[in-house]
Amino acid sequence: MSPAGGVLTAVLALPRADGEPPVTVPRDPAREAARRELSKRMYHENDPGLLRQALDAFWKWVGKLLSAASSATPGGGLGLLVLVLAVLALIGALWWRLGSPLRGPTSTAPLFDDRPRSAAEHRAAAEAHAAQGHWNQAVQERMRAVVRSLEERALLDPRPGRTADEAAAEAGRALPAHTDRLRGAARAFDDVTYGGRTAAPQTYHQLAQLDQDLERTRPVLTSGAGRGTAP
């Protein structure tokens, strides 16, 4: 500050080619001139692109986040690593147990393929898959055997394009004692066929037991069709 109380102004000395004393420029105009000069394109030709800048900012943020988490976790970095591994193990266990969460509530694809087969053929295919531990295919074939058997007994009308859910709903009207099990069998078929899930051996054995129980169950025919209870 000068003796008169004014503000001391920083200056920029610019040399002159004619040997005269340098020209002094106040601080603010000098800063603005430098900003304009450095904003020219020639100074930024080798700057990283926007994607690289975004990635650098992201990894910088991740580094700060991990550093903060490490300082807040007992054991520091080692404790954070153990915590992350535990979370990944939990996610893997849930994924293995529950399967991929991509399945919708019902299926729309047909239950059977183009080549018709008998219930006995589907049962034989299911048992062959089960013997090899191919539980998904075993569940699929056993569900097809259940539906084909009901068609052979005239409890279901043969209809191409029928889904497992539709077959279970229609069969439940003729076999009301097994309505819930039929719906469960249709869900198991949809899970392995459209939901990306893995069937357990118990699922197949339950479906095979249902198939056997249905063979021994007498249907209840609705009076609206002019029929009574089958003998």
Side-chain angles (χ1 to χ4, degrees):
M1 182 175 295
S2 66
V7 178
L8 180 62
T9 303
V11 296
L12 176 64
L14 300 178
R16 298 180 59 177
D18 54 5
E20 295 295 327
V23 178
T24 59
V25 182
R27 175 184 298 174
D28 292 340
R31 182 187 299 114
E32 181 64 22
R35 186 190 64 80
R36 287 196 303 268
E37 178 67 21
L38 293 177
S39 65
K40 293 180 179 179
R41 185 175 181 180
M42 58 181 294
Y43 296 107
H44 303 279
E45 293 179 350
N46 297 323
D47 288 355
L50 293 177
L51 179 60
R52 178 61 181 273
Q53 296 179 27
L55 288 175
D56 290 343
F58 171 75
W59 289 118
K60 184 177 180 181
W61 174 80
V62 171
K64 291 182 178 179
L65 183 64
L66 292 177
S67 178
S70 171
S71 61
T73 305
L78 180 59
L80 178 62
L81 177 61
V82 172
L83 180 60
V84 171
L85 292 178
V87 171
L88 292 178
L90 178 60
I91 294 175
L94 291 175
W95 189 279
W96 177 82
R97 180 65 180 86
L98 301 178
S100 175
L102 301 177
R103 173 182 173 268
T106 57
S107 64
T108 57
L111 180 65
F112 296 99
D113 53 20
D114 296 334
R115 186 178 73 84
R117 290 186 291 176
S118 67
E121 288 178 306
H122 284 297
R123 289 191 186 101
E127 289 297 324
H129 285 304
Q132 299 177 18
H134 301 161
W135 301 111
N136 281 16
Q137 295 88 336
V139 166
Q140 291 171 327
E141 289 298 329
R142 199 71 188 209
M143 183 61 188
R144 291 170 179 142
V146 168
V147 177
R148 185 67 77 201
S149 176
L150 296 176
E151 291 177 350
E152 292 173 354
R153 295 170 62 189
L155 299 181
L156 289 178
D157 295 329
R159 178 162 56 87
R162 175 188 279 120
T163 67
D165 300 282
E166 293 170 345
E170 295 171 14
R173 290 191 284 270
L175 302 166
H178 300 286
T179 299
D180 292 339
R181 296 173 68 190
L182 285 165
R183 290 175 180 170
R187 284 195 300 270
F189 179 88
D190 290 343
D191 283 344
V192 302
T193 306
Y194 314 109
R197 304 192 179 215
T198 302
Q202 181 182 3
T203 303
Y204 173 74
H205 295 316
Q206 291 174 348
L207 188 51
Q209 186 62 51
L210 172 64
D211 187 18
Q212 297 174 11
D213 293 343
L214 292 178
E215 286 288 301
R216 297 191 294 265
T217 302
R218 292 183 296 178
V220 177
L221 303 181
T222 60
S223 59
R227 304 174 185 174
T229 303

